[in-house]
Amino acid sequence: MKTQNPTPSPAVVAIPEISFELLHQAHDGMVIIDDHNTILYANPAAETLWGYDPGELTGRPVGELMAASVENGAAPFDIDASVQAVEPVSGEVTFENRSGDYISAEVSLTAARVGAGGRRYRLMMVHGTTGAGHRSRVVELQNTVFRSLSSEIQIQDVADMVCREVETLVPNTVAVLILLDEQSRLRILSGPGMPRRFAAALEDMRLTEADIAALANDLNEATTIVWDSYRSVGISLGLHHCWASAIRTRNGRITGIFALYSRSERNRGGWPAQIVNSCVPFCGVLIEQHEARQHISQLSNYDPLTGFLNRTAVHKVIRSLIGQPGDNHFALYMIDIDRFRDINDALGHINGDGFLKSVSERLKGVSRSNYVLSRSGPNEFLIIVPNTRRDDALRFADILHGCVKQPIEIGGNMIVPTLGIGISLFPENGPDGESLLSYAEQAMRHAKRSGLGMTHLARSEDNKAAQDRLLLGSALRESLAQGLLNLQYQPQIDVRNNTLYGVEALSRWNHPTLGNIYPSRFIAVAEETGQIEAIGTWSLERAVRQILEWDAHGIYVPTVAVNLSAGHFRNRNLPGFIARLLSDSKLEPHRLTVEITESVMMTENEDTNMVLQSIRNLGVALSMDDFGTGYSSLSRLTRLPLTEIKIDRSFIMNLEHDANAQAVTTAVIGIGGRLGMTVVTEGVETVRQLDLLCQLGCDVVQGYLFARPMPPEKLEEWLRDDRLAAVLKEAKESRAAASE
């Protein structure tokens, strides 16, 4: 029969009553063990810790108490083996008591010899630390989380660490941290021990508004959501109990759920739920940090307008695709929206953005899920199509053209977009991302030059031309810096009085290793590489110095004409530069002529008009070069402050035999005369051409009939030797011979 206050075994030496009462009433567990590892006495505190009724522990082997120890898989010391220990031993242990609860405790063993026979007995003192210990470890875990979040540790690693630590606090459990995404779907952020099938079931769930409202009202409703509906699945996978809490931000938004599942069939009491609730606050901070980092990642890797990858992110994707093993092929499409600048200028940037978004949605609509889409520029897109070769690549380009054929309504306007598409292929067009992008861009520009809505597949010769331009552009930059360019001058003859009208300054480049580079080639490279304005500025300075040198040598050249690019006339500082140049050199303004191209007329705007008028106000002449080769209109011609127009040589080549060429030349000469402009004709090579131009009323001519472009010193010789008179005499004799 069990008694509330058992008496010591007769084998025990008598213990004074006071000592016994102290043991019996102690708040910590007290267990006396004999030299055979049998429990001789256990006080009520010990019986309560292990979940035994009074007196039930007496006579049991002490090893039974630690058989269920779960601290790192074993007790911190072997109680049975400690029978011979002389020094006291101690340690912390977590064990499962008879009721199935996990108990944390500090255990110490003290040995002593008692009685005449000197038998060895031990006193085991057990101090329960479950509540305080768990609270302490949760606080320690919280601090670790905060330290980790302030460092560069990945959020995923921090979440995994939280789950593992909680699984240690409550052994034989599985912890999981779940996110609630923008579509109200559950997404597992961390759950290393979670069975895959159960994780898939959770991630298939989408919460309703009623679910979210219930969670906001009671965080513990999370257990209903992540367990009650899946209990049978969980039990089949070895999960028997669940404690869960929703995670709520300070503004009341539900962002996730923290849950703990037990593999034990026994109910663990209240501690698992308390630990879950204790972890919820710093799990909420962890989720907030995750969302913040995701947002930063979104900003740094994605285009905010279209949601496509940005250029930096797509470069990483290209490198990844190139690095894949095996027979790897893919196509890279560079897509430019035709005439997008006109849409932006006419409808404004807000409507332009709307137009871009509509186009991007159509591109996405015809792209499969494994295609990579990127917005790589203001109106440029990249699409990467895996496992694609030449013919399939061209077929998808047709699909892209087709997807934008329907009009898009923007700002009350119906606009039908067209695309310029360049395609490069891996590995045909290069072993690396830069080569593929370069090929695709060159192909896209080729498509744009071909017209609206065109496709071009990259070719090796396209990239070779680009490399040549790069090489030539670099050499040109060095030559400009080292003064290796020079000007040559071609005389212009006033046929009204057979005198020198002036000269045209023409840039020439003879590179030490590349040799003589034709102007048509290096001027185009200068325009593409942004050096054309530097050449124009240098030409103005050199031409003005040359006029002064000729004057010093007693050679009078009435005017020098210098070609400037369209970019110069968008620069409001150009008139001031010319004014300073004239002032510093004390050159009369009428001795300088600035030639503009028809492209300046085509891009006529307020800035261009102001620059041209300011130059003319200085007294500098303005000449329209190569008139008739572009798309200039007569109305624009009348608005510009021009002093002369130059008929392009293409009209003169067939002047002797082509009635249409004669008609156009006659019309241009007539227009120039009526507008008070001097008409200059280029490319005169025969006496017959000269006679026809004189008959049509042309004012000034230049061409090989009189002289080729020549260096300054050769022009001096040409003028000193009066070669003009000799040429005119030869022309007269030729004319007379022809009439006979």
Side-chain angles (χ1 to χ4, degrees):
M1 182 176 178
K2 300 171 185 174
T3 60
Q4 183 65 32
N5 297 308
T7 58
S9 167
V12 179
V13 177
I15 301 174
E17 188 69 22
I18 188 169
S19 299
F20 176 79
E21 286 300 323
L22 284 172
L23 291 174
H24 193 74
Q25 297 182 29
H27 292 291
D28 292 334
M30 299 290 180
V31 180
I32 298 175
I33 309 162
D34 69 10
D35 52 2
H36 297 293
N37 292 320
T38 301
I39 298 174
L40 300 179
Y41 168 77
N43 72 348
E47 293 168 337
T48 301
L49 277 173
W50 269 278
Y52 283 85
D53 291 333
E56 278 192 307
L57 283 175
T58 303
R60 293 178 179 272
V62 70
E64 288 186 9
L65 297 184
M66 295 301 172
S69 174
V70 292
E71 182 70 17
N72 297 322
F77 50 81
D78 189 338
I79 296 176
D80 290 348
S82 300
V83 66
Q84 301 300 325
V86 177
E87 298 295 331
V89 292
S90 63
E92 294 184 3
V93 66
T94 298
F95 59 88
E96 184 178 351
N97 69 10
R98 201 179 190 190
S99 302
D101 291 332
Y102 285 118
I103 304 297
S104 296
E106 295 175 354
V107 178
S108 64
L109 278 173
T110 302
R113 293 187 180 277
V114 180
R119 292 182 62 185
R120 184 182 297 274
Y121 296 88
R122 286 171 296 154
L123 174 64
M124 182 170 69
M125 293 174 285
V126 185
H127 176 63
T129 61
T130 303
H134 283 177
R135 281 191 292 270
S136 174
R137 292 181 68 175
V138 168
V139 169
E140 183 180 345
L141 176 58
Q142 172 183 284
N143 294 336
T144 303
V145 168
F146 288 152
R147 284 195 302 271
S148 300
L149 292 178
S150 64
S151 67
E152 297 299 318
I153 298 177
Q154 296 293 319
I155 293 292
Q156 182 69 59
D157 293 336
V158 181
D160 290 347
M161 179 266 294
V162 169
C163 289
R164 285 193 297 268
E165 287 297 316
V166 170
E167 289 169 358
T168 300
L169 281 173
V170 186
N172 207 21
T173 58
V174 175
V176 59
L177 179 56
I178 306 170
L179 304 176
L180 186 65
D181 68 15
E182 294 179 354
Q183 288 75 42
S184 299
R185 291 188 179 278
L186 299 182
R187 294 288 180 261
I188 293 178
L189 177 61
S190 177
M194 174 65 67
R196 290 186 180 180
R197 184 179 162 199
F198 198 81
L202 290 178
E203 291 203 320
D204 194 44
M205 180 186 296
R206 183 170 184 172
L207 302 191
T208 65
E209 291 184 6
D211 291 330
I212 296 173
L215 290 174
N217 184 58
D218 182 1
L219 300 182
N220 293 324
E221 276 294 316
T223 305
T224 302
I225 289 175
V226 299
W227 179 243
D228 288 4
S229 300
Y230 300 99
R231 185 189 300 270
S232 59
V233 176
I235 291 173
S236 70
L237 297 171
L239 305 178
H240 297 281
H241 299 280
C242 175
W243 304 270
S245 174
I247 299 169
R248 180 169 53 198
T249 63
R250 284 166 291 185
N251 61 8
R253 182 169 65 93
I254 300 297
T255 59
I257 293 172
F258 185 60
L260 189 61
Y261 296 87
S262 174
R263 293 192 181 95
S264 174
E265 295 185 24
R266 293 181 176 181
N267 194 322
R268 298 304 182 194
W271 271 112
Q274 292 183 39
I275 289 174
V276 167
N277 292 331
S278 298
C279 293
V280 162
F282 58 80
C283 284
V285 174
L286 195 154
I287 290 177
E288 288 181 4
Q289 283 287 311
H290 172 73
E291 291 177 342
R293 293 189 188 184
Q294 287 289 99
H295 182 62
I296 292 171
S297 175
Q298 185 79 14
L299 293 176
S300 62
N301 292 301
Y302 292 87
D303 169 54
L305 180 66
T306 63
F308 291 177
L309 290 174
N310 59 27
R311 193 176 183 94
T312 301
V314 83
H315 281 202
K316 298 176 184 176
V317 174
I318 294 172
R319 286 196 296 270
S320 174
L321 288 172
I322 290 173
Q324 290 181 359
D327 186 19
N328 188 20
H329 292 264
F330 63 86
L332 191 154
Y333 296 75
M334 185 166 286
I335 303 166
D336 183 272
I337 301 176
D338 295 325
R339 300 176 299 181
F340 179 72
R341 181 178 293 179
D342 292 340
I343 296 171
N344 246 356
D345 292 345
L347 303 180
H349 290 286
I350 293 178
N351 286 321
D353 285 349
F355 181 75
L356 274 174
K357 192 167 184 179
S358 296
V359 171
S360 69
E361 288 171 352
R362 293 188 179 186
L363 297 178
K364 185 177 181 180
V366 297
S367 299
R368 301 187 65 178
S369 59
N370 63 332
Y371 294 5
V372 179
L373 290 88
S374 167
R375 183 185 177 197
S376 56
N379 60 306
E380 290 180 358
F381 299 94
L382 284 176
I383 298 180
I384 303 172
V385 180
N387 305 317
T388 300
R389 298 177 186 264
R390 184 182 186 279
D391 292 343
D392 289 335
L394 290 172
R395 277 193 285 271
F396 184 63
D398 291 337
I399 293 173
L400 292 173
H401 285 302
C403 80
V404 296
K405 281 185 176 179
Q406 295 302 315
I408 296 174
E409 183 178 358
I410 297 293
N413 298 274
M414 301 301 292
I415 300 172
V416 179
T418 57
L419 309 174
I421 302 177
I423 309 172
S424 64
L425 301 173
F426 177 81
E428 292 91 330
N429 296 131
D432 55 65
E434 289 304 320
S435 299
L436 291 170
L437 288 166
S438 175
Y439 268 107
E441 186 166 4
Q442 291 299 321
M444 182 269 288
R445 299 199 185 287
H446 190 284
K448 298 280 285 183
R449 289 194 295 269
S450 301
L452 302 178
M454 303 299 289
T455 297
H456 184 72
L457 188 67
R459 304 171 301 179
S460 58
E461 51 265 36
D462 294 336
N463 205 52
K464 185 177 184 302
Q467 291 174 348
D468 288 345
R469 284 193 296 273
L470 184 64
L471 174 65
L472 209 60
S474 178
L476 180 59
R477 186 171 287 105
E478 292 178 3
S479 295
L480 270 171
Q482 297 172 12
L484 297 180
L485 267 65
N486 61 80
L487 289 180
Q488 294 191 1
Y489 302 89
Q490 186 174 34
Q492 298 172 320
I493 312 305
D494 190 332
V495 295
R496 294 167 296 191
N497 51 28
N498 292 334
T499 59
L500 180 68
Y501 174 78
V503 295
E504 181 181 5
L506 300 165
S507 301
R508 295 292 183 264
W509 181 24
N510 193 340
H511 191 269
T513 56
L514 298 176
N516 189 41
I517 314 296
Y518 288 107
S520 59
R521 187 180 178 198
F522 79 76
I523 291 298
V525 170
E527 289 177 341
E528 292 179 0
T529 57
Q531 300 181 74
I532 191 65
E533 290 191 44
I535 292 178
T537 302
W538 167 81
S539 297
L540 281 171
E541 293 174 334
R542 187 70 195 90
V544 167
R545 286 201 304 271
Q546 188 58 59
I547 294 175
L548 298 179
E549 289 178 16
W550 282 326
D551 285 350
H553 297 165
I555 301 296
Y556 181 73
V557 176
T559 184
V560 176
V562 177
N563 291 280
L564 294 183
S565 71
H568 274 96
F569 298 99
R570 293 190 291 269
N571 185 351
R572 288 174 172 264
N573 296 323
L574 179 61
F577 172 76
I578 294 175
R580 288 191 299 275
L581 191 60
L582 295 172
S583 175
D584 294 344
S585 63
K586 296 182 172 54
L587 184 71
E588 295 170 305
H590 69 268
R591 298 189 68 186
L592 180 63
T593 298
V594 172
E595 293 189 357
I596 68 174
T597 61
E598 281 192 304
S599 61
V600 176
M601 184 184 291
M602 292 300 296
T603 58
E604 180 189 9
N605 54 45
E606 184 178 346
D607 285 349
T608 301
N609 291 339
M610 185 277 289
V611 169
L612 291 172
Q613 189 60 59
S614 298
I615 293 173
R616 187 69 194 99
N617 291 342
L618 294 173
V620 174
L622 285 174
S623 175
M624 171 68 72
D625 194 18
D626 300 333
F627 184 77
T629 59
Y631 303 93
S632 55
S633 66
L634 294 178
S635 62
R636 284 177 172 174
L637 189 65
T638 60
R639 292 198 299 270
L640 296 178
L642 300 173
T643 57
E644 68 178 42
I645 53 177
K646 297 181 72 175
I647 301 174
D648 187 67
R649 68 182 68 248
S650 60
F651 292 99
I652 308 306
M653 292 172 60
N654 299 316
L655 186 64
E656 302 169 58
H657 313 290
D658 189 341
N660 290 331
Q662 292 181 17
V664 172
T665 304
T666 301
V668 174
I669 292 172
I671 291 169
R674 289 184 179 88
L675 293 176
M677 301 176 189
T678 300
V679 179
V680 180
T681 302
E682 299 178 295
V684 179
E685 298 184 358
T686 68
V687 173
R688 179 59 180 157
Q689 290 173 345
L690 175 62
D691 289 343
L692 285 172
L693 289 170
C694 289
Q695 292 171 20
L696 295 174
C698 181
D699 303 316
V700 178
V701 296
Q702 71 181 86
Y704 290 175
L705 177 63
F706 301 97
R708 292 176 178 269
M710 62 189 91
E713 60 276 10
K714 293 293 184 183
L715 182 67
E716 285 191 30
E717 293 178 11
W718 191 86
L719 291 172
R720 289 187 189 279
D721 294 344
D722 201 10
R723 292 297 308 277
L724 174 58
V727 171
L728 292 173
K729 180 181 178 183
E730 290 174 8
K732 183 177 180 181
E733 292 173 353
S734 176
R735 199 176 296 120
S739 64
E740 293 177 359

